[in-house]
Amino acid sequence: MIRIYPLVAATMLIAAAAGAQDHGYTPADIENGGRLYQASCGGCHAQDGAGVSGIELARGQFRRGTSDTDLIKIIQTGIPGTAMPPHNFTDAQAATVVAYLRNMATVRSGAAPTVLRGIGDAARGRALFEGKGQCTTCHRVNGKGPRLAPDLSEVGATRPLPELHQALLDPNATMRAGNRFFQVVTRDGQTITGRLMNQDTFSIQMLDAKERLVSLPKSSLREYGFVRTSPMTAVQGKLSLQEVDDLVGYLVTLKGLNP
């Protein structure tokens, strides 16, 4: 038996399922973070990030924390009982240090950081997002739009620039596990595709293509699992490279703050 629940229940589950993701960073972030690192961190960690035994910052080897959010907190509060002191950095300042750490190897090698891909005009990008690009057909921004595809209200703060570009040009290459669609096939041959909200030993709850929360007993299913390919179509052939840069220019402005 398939049970369908009101949208308010689906909204509550979406909020509960949303997880913290890493922050994005720009070339200016990396440069500013490098200055802060050299002034406040280099004395112990050394300029190559390998000054503390067991920690190689340039290779992304940390004793505690792996996400940008974790690292920002460690930078600000320090690690009690160790030589790592707290720093009086704002969230934005600590985030730039993390941006530098993420790009330390390329910066020190003299190579251009991978985030230096072009950022176009945000106003033109918004027009593309809402018009020619048809992004609002699937995506939600600041409380407006469908709920089935990933909410992009904070995508500028959670996705690095190269990932935004690649997501537009090759969605399958950058699809994160939490954004994969889920598909079930019932014993009578009905196929339902949507967003997995929850599952336990006996049942599955998912948001279907009509944004209805459905509950399905696993005993009624022939098969179920995540879809390996992204439902999003690539913009190659639909948008020019300049239009892609403009679209990214708009996406990086989406940082969870309503205009």
Side-chain angles (χ1 to χ4, degrees), residues 1-255:
M1 178 180 179
I2 299 175
R3 295 182 178 179
I4 300 177
Y5 295 89
L7 182 58
V8 63
T11 303
M12 292 173 65
L13 273 176
I14 290 174
Q21 300 182 54
D22 287 353
H23 295 69
Y25 33 79
T26 67
D29 291 334
I30 297 169
E31 182 178 355
N32 293 333
R35 295 193 187 100
L36 287 174
Y37 176 88
Q38 291 170 11
S40 302
C41 312
C44 294
H45 287 283
Q47 296 306 304
D48 63 357
V52 177
S53 177
I55 299 175
E56 294 190 41
L57 300 180
R59 297 179 61 184
Q61 293 183 359
F62 311 105
R63 285 181 181 172
R64 296 176 173 85
T66 55
S67 72
D68 288 5
T69 301
D70 292 339
L71 296 176
I72 288 171
K73 183 177 180 180
I74 290 172
I75 290 170
Q76 292 176 319
T77 63
I79 303 175
T82 73
M84 175 67 182
H87 293 82
N88 189 28
F89 290 163
T90 65
D91 289 348
Q93 289 173 324
T96 64
V97 175
V98 174
Y100 175 71
L101 297 180
R102 298 296 192 197
N103 285 271
M104 180 183 283
T106 54
V107 170
R108 289 186 56 78
S109 71
T114 57
V115 297
L116 292 179
R117 177 71 185 256
I119 302 177
D121 182 81
R124 292 197 304 262
R126 179 170 184 171
L128 286 165
F129 185 90
E130 298 174 348
K132 182 179 178 180
Q134 298 182 319
C135 306
T136 55
T137 303
C138 300
H139 292 285
R140 186 176 183 85
V141 173
N142 295 330
K144 297 181 181 180
R147 291 178 171 84
L148 192 59
D151 189 324
L152 300 183
S153 301
E154 299 181 357
V155 71
T158 60
R159 293 270 188 142
L161 295 181
E163 191 172 331
L164 289 174
H165 276 282
Q166 192 172 21
L168 294 171
L169 299 173
D170 185 6
N172 290 326
T174 61
M175 185 171 59
R176 295 185 174 182
N179 292 338
R180 292 182 297 173
F181 269 29
F182 197 80
Q183 183 172 283
V184 303
V185 180
T186 64
R187 293 191 180 279
D188 60 5
Q190 181 183 4
T191 299
I192 303 174
T193 303
R195 183 175 177 182
L196 178 68
M197 307 309 300
N198 186 49
Q199 68 170 316
D200 54 33
T201 304
F202 304 103
S203 65
I204 290 172
Q205 290 77 46
M206 59 187 293
L207 202 65
D208 71 6
K210 296 181 180 180
E211 297 190 21
R212 300 176 302 181
L213 181 63
V214 298
S215 181
L216 308 110
K218 288 185 175 179
S219 60
S220 70
L221 304 179
R222 182 191 307 165
E223 58 184 69
Y224 55 87
F226 285 102
V227 180
R228 294 184 177 276
T229 56
S230 173
M232 177 177 164
T233 57
V235 300
Q236 286 180 320
K238 299 179 181 179
L239 300 181
S240 67
L241 289 179
Q242 180 59 58
E243 287 175 323
V244 172
D245 286 347
D246 289 341
L247 188 52
V248 170
Y250 169 62
L251 294 176
V252 298
T253 70
L254 301 178
K255 298 182 183 294

